[in-house]
Amino acid sequence: MSIALPSSEYITRSVATALEEDVATGDLTAQLIPADRTSKATVITREDATLCGRAWFDEVFRQIDTRVQIVWKAQDGDRVRANQLLCELTGPSRSLLTGERSALNFLQLLSGTATETSRYAEALKGTSCRVLDTRKTIPGLRLAQKYAVRCGGGTNHRIGLFDAILVKENHIAAAGSIAAAVAEARLVNSKVMLEVEVENLDELQQALAAKVDRILLDNFSNDDMKTAVSITRSHQNKGIELEASGNMSLETLREVAETGVDFISVGGLTKHVRALDLSMRFA
């Protein structure tokens, strides 16, 4: 699977930060091992998953010791099975031990994000709806988690506050109305996607009249979502996308998708991450 990675500079910075908090001035415990000793290690997954995070794993050992060699047996985005071999490592024993935790932290977190996303993407198969992530990410690792979502078959929403405009309830209240908020948004930047959050069908009509790019249906019932889809598809301002949001789960996802919305955004993809169970063992 070929999915664009974040920049190498971003990955380098992320790993450097992780090593600074874990290794800092040196790994005291690793010094128990003779400096000239070399080892071989393997990493396996203890559960079925979608793999993600190889570049961060590799970068950990690149920054610690370029003599460490890693041979991967699976690619980012691959479905892997419990007890499957993911990679083999050879190199100085001290360096393997020093990098173990930081490398696994990246791999298990990002694989956990990709795995959860893959479950949601699988639930939407056969519909025209796509699952979106949100800005509810681990601080400092947003681009990494957004990449993991793509590896899991999901679609990225805006990266941050700088690349799209999402007019929410508080923006509308401060501006005075949906029309006023949208007008001001177009003055701020008319080239990025403009989305408006609505809480009822009356606000939907206001957003449609404002000719925005996408409308977020916040906590709509399924019946109201069906009505919103019907209204939007027959409106004179055609082509406006609909996104559903609010308390979405795997159990409710399919039914929501079948209302006809274009997207379902799920904060839990990146917020409620359970790290993948991985194991690194020396031969």
Side-chain angles (χ1 to χ4, degrees):
M1 179 180 291
S2 178
I3 298 173
L5 278 163
S7 71
S8 58
E9 291 81 4
Y10 169 83
I11 295 171
T12 298
R13 288 197 308 270
S14 298
V15 168
T17 299
L19 292 178
E20 173 60 28
E21 67 184 9
D22 194 36
V23 183
T25 57
D27 180 352
L28 299 178
T29 313
Q31 293 178 36
L32 303 176
I33 310 301
D36 60 351
R37 182 165 297 173
T38 61
S39 296
K40 179 178 179 179
T42 57
V43 176
I44 66 167
T45 173
R46 295 193 181 277
E47 57 186 307
D48 294 353
T50 298
L51 182 64
C52 183
R54 285 182 23 163
W56 287 264
F57 187 98
D58 290 348
E59 180 63 17
V60 167
F61 289 104
R62 188 194 71 79
Q63 291 191 26
I64 289 173
D65 192 334
T66 57
R67 292 173 294 174
V68 173
Q69 300 296 310
I70 304 170
V71 178
W72 285 95
K73 305 297 183 179
Q75 305 291 323
D76 279 359
D78 283 356
R79 300 291 179 91
V80 294
R81 300 299 179 191
N83 299 313
Q84 182 173 331
L85 175 65
L86 301 181
C87 68
E88 297 173 335
L89 304 92
T90 55
S93 303
R94 285 186 179 184
S95 299
L96 292 175
L97 290 164
T98 298
E100 175 185 0
R101 176 41 50 204
S102 293
L104 289 178
N105 282 348
F106 281 111
L107 198 64
Q108 66 189 22
L109 169 71
L110 298 181
S111 293
T113 301
T115 300
E116 184 69 1
T117 302
S118 69
R119 296 189 181 107
Y120 280 80
E122 184 68 27
L124 293 178
K125 274 194 173 178
T127 75
S128 59
C129 187
R130 288 176 285 170
V131 64
L132 292 174
D133 54 24
T134 71
R135 289 169 47 238
K136 297 174 182 178
T137 55
I138 295 172
L141 289 176
R142 178 167 298 170
L143 294 183
Q145 285 193 285
K146 292 275 188 178
Y147 169 73
V149 165
R150 297 195 300 275
C151 286
T155 300
N156 295 150
H157 201 294
R158 58 179 176 165
I159 300 300
L161 297 173
F162 57 89
D163 63 332
I165 295 175
L166 174 50
V167 179
K168 305 189 80 172
E169 176 187 7
N170 288 336
H171 300 103
I172 295 168
S177 68
I178 288 176
V182 169
E184 189 63 30
R186 290 200 169 103
L187 292 176
V188 171
N189 192 324
S190 62
K191 296 180 181 180
V192 298
M193 183 188 75
L194 173 55
E195 181 173 10
V196 171
E197 177 186 78
V198 302
E199 297 182 333
N200 53 58
L201 294 173
D202 178 61
E203 290 184 349
L204 171 73
Q205 293 282 13
Q206 295 176 52
L208 288 169
K211 300 181 182 179
V212 298
D213 300 308
R214 185 182 298 172
I215 299 172
L216 190 157
L217 309 176
D218 183 42
N219 285 303
F220 273 46
S221 68
N222 287 350
D223 285 342
D224 281 350
M225 271 189 274
K226 290 177 183 177
T227 302
V229 169
S230 177
I231 291 171
T232 302
R233 301 297 180 253
S234 61
H235 198 274
Q236 62 180 357
N237 295 331
K238 297 185 182 300
I240 295 176
E241 298 172 327
L242 292 178
E243 172 187 340
S245 181
N247 299 313
M248 297 297 170
S249 68
L250 272 176
E251 292 70 32
T252 62
L253 200 72
R254 183 80 184 192
E255 190 175 355
V256 172
E258 289 174 348
T259 66
V261 295
D262 302 291
F263 303 98
I264 299 174
S265 52
V266 182
L269 298 181
T270 52
K271 183 178 67 167
H272 300 151
V273 178
R274 184 185 67 80
L276 189 65
D277 188 5
L278 301 175
S279 176
M280 180 171 169
R281 288 287 183 267
F282 278 47

